[in-house]
Amino acid sequence: MANRRDSGMTLIEIGVALCVAGLMLAVAVPALSAVTRAQLRQKSGQLAGTVRSLYGGAAIAGRTFRLVFDLDANSYWSECAKSNVRLAREGERAQNGARLATREEELLAEPQREGMSEEEKERAALAQKSAFTASKDVPRTELGGSVRFTDVWVQHQPERYSAGKSYLYFWSSGLTEEASLHLAQGDDVFSLLVSPLTGKVKVVGDRVDAPGQKR
């Protein structure tokens, strides 16, 4: 019996071990949180630099660009229009936090135009001339890791989008759109607020909406 008692752990030893484990966990959790926040900060800074670079590139090239945000795949890339582009007055249509395709985009996706009316053919031809194609300025970039888009609001949108694709336009005149981009990792959220006049991006380590955002 004496040998059995000697080989076991006393309550004091177990208590000490638990205290040491608790102290180690208390030190590790903040350190892990700091690493996670650093990753989110790095990705937010990278995206902010991309917005600023594309703003200047559109003005120098004298062409219309747009930054595509794929909210489902947590990625983004740039596209360039073949000619100057104007957004439709009626604006975009959205449903359940996602953008709906325009009629022009639907017409372009049609495999053949035999069943189209003359008006639809003209609209499809016009859409083809002003269609956007992928540019080398910003290749497809993954946010990576567990960093993700929570939602994106851009000035021309009827609401914030949390799924599908969202577009931020850059005009050859040196203007862009007001926007708020929200990136998250775990419970941490960073906000990127885009100025339409200067293309500058303010990065905030919290969830903040753009001044012109109503909802």
Side-chain angles (χ1 to χ4, degrees), residues 45-67:
Q46 181 181 6
L47 180 54
T50 297
V51 172
R52 182 59 180 166
S53 175
L54 204 56
Y55 172 87
I60 293 174
R63 302 178 70 181
T64 301
F65 285 80
R66 70 182 182 185
L67 195 57

Side-chain angles (χ1 to χ4, degrees), residues 47-56 168-170 174-178 193-202:
L47 180 54
T50 297
V51 172
R52 182 59 180 166
S53 175
L54 204 56
Y55 172 87
L168 175 59
Y169 289 86
F170 300 84
L175 295 174
T176 183
E177 300 178 277
E178 184 179 19
L193 307 179
V194 182
S195 170
L197 298 178
T198 64
K200 291 183 178 180
V201 183
K202 181 180 181 182

